[in-house]
């Protein structure tokens, strides 16, 4: 049946084949097909028209597409607009990788901490470059990242830090970690350099910062945090310590939030218990050696007076008093309490001399 329906051709003649207006004729001596030119009448006889190369128009010029590379592809990071810099970070570039990929001759941007900058330098940079700006001056990308961390325009005006800033990096949601990374944070900076800088250094910076802030100049949310620690205007102005005396590990969840939003972390709240005696003693000498008596707070002057100091004696430095020549055990309980308020311990009071 298949053979009847599909008979085998008995003619040995080669069928005519055309290639773009030419016909394959007989073989030449080398066994190749010879081409014969066909005119239009040949196509007419065959009931067809001359074939042309598909997709071409003889009357149209040939064009070639060209990829245009934006100028930003060769720009240094500091030459980009702020919105473009945001786009660079959104694409997961850092300043270093952007320069390496786009223009290795670029220098590091001025005013931006280098990759190997100390953690505390980066933390200070955030205060001056981000949190000092008005909400409307921030780019849309930065506002969106800050909103993921809990900010809103109303909170920003009062610098009412969201609860996320009291959390450890590991406690943030993944999207919040992405937002913080986009803004320039890493785990060390987010956690206020607790593991990246000495405790005494961080405590000294915190105390210096606070000493310049008057109670009535504070935003209300920050006052609220301090009041939760036991401060009020009088205690703050006089330089008295917080009435909340618990160790960090004993704080309730609410107290921990207040402590961290006020600027403390676990070791600075506890007074840097792991610091070496010599390091603590150097800090106390810096704190009390180059300061005028009148520049001391009311509470500090009161404490030094109970330790036998006076304005006249202070001209000779904190060591110019009889009690500083006494051992820790020779101090009264009240004197020890005042010394501890000033930051001393048994070791630092005795100049870190265990044999005294």
């Amino acid at each position: 049946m298949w053979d009847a329906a599909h008979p085998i051709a008995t003619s040995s003649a080669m069928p005519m084949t055309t290639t773009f207006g030419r016909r394959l004729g007989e073989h030449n001596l080398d066994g190749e097909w010879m081409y014969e030119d066909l005119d239009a009448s040949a196509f007419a006889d065959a009931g067809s028209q001359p074939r042309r190369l598909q997709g071409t128009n003889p009357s149209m010029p040939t064009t070639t597409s060209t990829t245009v590379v934006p100028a930003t592809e060769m720009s240094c990071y500091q030459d980009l607009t702020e919105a473009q810099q945001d786009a660079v970070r959104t694409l997961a570039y850092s300043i270093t990788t952007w320069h390496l990929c786009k223009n290795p001759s670029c220098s590091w941007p001025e005013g931006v901490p280098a990759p190997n900058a100390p953690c505390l330098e980066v933390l200070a940079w955030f205060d001056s470059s981000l949190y000092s700006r008005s909400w409307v001056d921030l780019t849309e990308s930065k506002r969106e990242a800050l909103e993921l961390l809990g900010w809103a325009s109303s909170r920003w005006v009062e610098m009412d830090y969201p609860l996320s800033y009291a959390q450890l990096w590991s406690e943030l949601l993944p999207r919040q970690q992405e937002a913080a990374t986009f803004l320039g944070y890493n785990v060390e900076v987010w956690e206020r350099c607790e593991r990246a800088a000495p405790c005494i250094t961080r405590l000294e910076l915190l105390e210096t910062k606070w000493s310049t802030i008057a109670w009535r100049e504070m935003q209300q949310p920050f006052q609220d945090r301090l009041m939760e620690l036991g401060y009020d205007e009088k205690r703050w102005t006089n330089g008295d310590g917080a009435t909340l005396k618990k160790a960090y590990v004993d704080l309730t969840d609410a107290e921990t939030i207040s402590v961290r939003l006020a600027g403390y972390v676990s070791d600075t709240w506890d007074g840097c218990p792991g610091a070496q005696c010599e390091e603590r003693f150097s800090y106390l000498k810096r704190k009390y050696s180059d300061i005028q008596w009148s520049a001391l707070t009311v509470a500090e002057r009161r404490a030094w007076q109970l330790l036998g100091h006076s304005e006249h004696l202070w001209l000779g430095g904190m060591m110019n008093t009889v009690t500083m020549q006494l051992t820790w055990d020779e101090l009264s309980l009240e004197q020890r309490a005042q010394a501890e308020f000033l930051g001393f311990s048994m070791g630092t009071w005795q100049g870190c001399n265990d044999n005294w």
Side-chain angles (χ1 to χ4, degrees):
M1 293 295 293
W2 175 266
D3 292 340
H6 302 83
I8 299 175
T10 58
S11 172
S12 60
M14 295 295 294
M16 181 180 293
T17 305
T18 61
T19 304
F20 304 126
R22 292 188 293 174
R23 180 174 61 190
L24 293 175
E26 298 178 354
H27 292 86
N28 62 13
L29 296 177
D30 296 326
E32 297 177 347
W33 287 103
M34 297 178 64
Y35 292 91
E36 298 177 5
D37 290 332
L38 301 177
D39 56 17
S41 61
F43 289 98
D45 293 341
S48 61
Q49 295 296 323
R51 298 171 63 189
R52 293 177 178 174
L53 181 63
Q54 296 182 5
T56 63
N57 187 338
S59 63
M60 296 294 292
T62 302
T63 59
T64 304
S65 62
T66 303
T67 301
V68 178
V69 179
T72 54
E73 284 294 295
M74 294 295 292
S75 297
C76 297
Y77 182 85
Q78 57 267 36
D79 296 329
L80 300 173
T81 66
E82 187 177 1
Q84 290 170 338
Q85 291 175 354
D86 288 347
V88 165
R89 292 194 299 277
T90 301
L91 293 172
Y93 283 100
S94 65
I95 298 176
T96 299
T97 55
W98 176 262
H99 285 173
L100 286 174
C101 292
K102 307 301 182 181
N103 192 340
S105 65
C106 292
S107 60
W108 189 260
E110 292 185 7
V112 178
N116 59 347
C119 181
L120 290 174
E121 180 182 331
V122 181
L123 192 61
W125 175 78
F126 272 104
D127 287 338
S128 62
S129 66
L130 179 62
Y131 297 106
S132 61
R133 299 173 62 180
S134 66
W135 183 260
V136 295
D137 288 337
L138 297 172
T139 61
E140 182 178 357
S141 296
K142 286 187 175 67
R143 288 197 296 266
E144 290 175 353
L146 289 166
E147 286 168 354
L148 283 171
L149 294 173
W151 287 100
S153 59
S154 57
R155 296 188 77 120
W156 190 265
V157 170
E158 295 186 340
M159 277 292 108
D160 182 12
Y161 281 78
L163 296 182
S164 62
Y165 284 73
Q167 294 177 298
L168 300 176
W169 182 267
S170 60
E171 296 171 339
L172 295 175
L173 298 174
R175 289 294 306 279
Q176 291 177 317
Q177 290 181 353
E178 292 176 6
T181 301
F182 169 79
L183 293 171
Y185 281 99
N186 57 29
V187 58
E188 289 82 10
V189 178
W190 180 261
E191 295 182 358
R192 297 183 180 87
C193 308
E194 184 172 0
R195 291 171 291 180
C199 178
I200 287 293
T201 302
R202 290 181 280 113
L203 180 61
E204 190 171 2
L205 287 173
L206 185 61
E207 290 179 344
T208 301
K209 179 180 178 180
W210 279 14
S211 67
T212 63
I213 305 175
W215 181 267
R216 296 188 181 184
E217 295 174 354
M218 295 178 188
Q219 296 284 3
Q220 187 61 48
F222 188 60
Q223 282 187 3
D224 293 340
R225 301 302 179 193
L226 293 177
M227 286 190 288
E228 290 167 358
L229 303 183
Y231 285 103
D232 55 24
E233 182 176 0
K234 182 178 179 180
R235 292 189 68 85
W236 182 265
T237 303
N238 290 343
D240 289 302
T243 58
L244 183 62
K245 301 295 185 181
K246 292 182 182 179
Y248 186 86
V249 295
D250 297 327
L251 296 173
T252 65
D253 290 343
E255 290 168 341
T256 300
I257 290 173
S258 296
V259 163
R260 296 190 71 88
L261 290 182
Y264 288 103
V265 291
S266 60
D267 57 355
T268 51
W269 175 255
D270 288 337
C272 302
Q276 296 295 318
C277 182
E278 292 79 5
E279 186 181 11
R280 297 175 64 87
F281 188 55
S282 295
Y283 152 69
L284 290 168
K285 288 193 293 184
R286 290 193 301 272
K287 184 175 182 179
Y288 295 118
S289 294
D290 297 323
I291 185 173
Q292 299 292 325
W293 178 262
S294 59
L296 295 171
T297 66
V298 173
E300 288 171 339
R301 290 198 297 267
R302 183 173 60 244
W304 280 113
Q305 286 171 338
L306 289 172
L307 290 170
H309 244 304
S310 66
E311 183 174 3
H312 174 70
L313 292 174
W314 190 259
L315 296 176
M318 71 175 186
M319 303 298 292
N320 192 24
T321 179
V322 175
T323 53
M324 290 298 292
Q325 310 306 317
L326 301 177
T327 66
W328 185 260
D329 291 336
E330 292 173 329
L331 296 177
S332 67
L333 293 178
E334 177 62 22
Q335 287 174 325
R336 289 183 196 176
Q338 297 304 315
E340 289 174 344
F341 166 76
L342 292 169
F344 287 92
S345 63
M346 178 178 179
T348 53
W349 183 262
Q350 298 179 172
C352 303
N353 184 358
D354 295 334
N355 297 321
W356 187 17

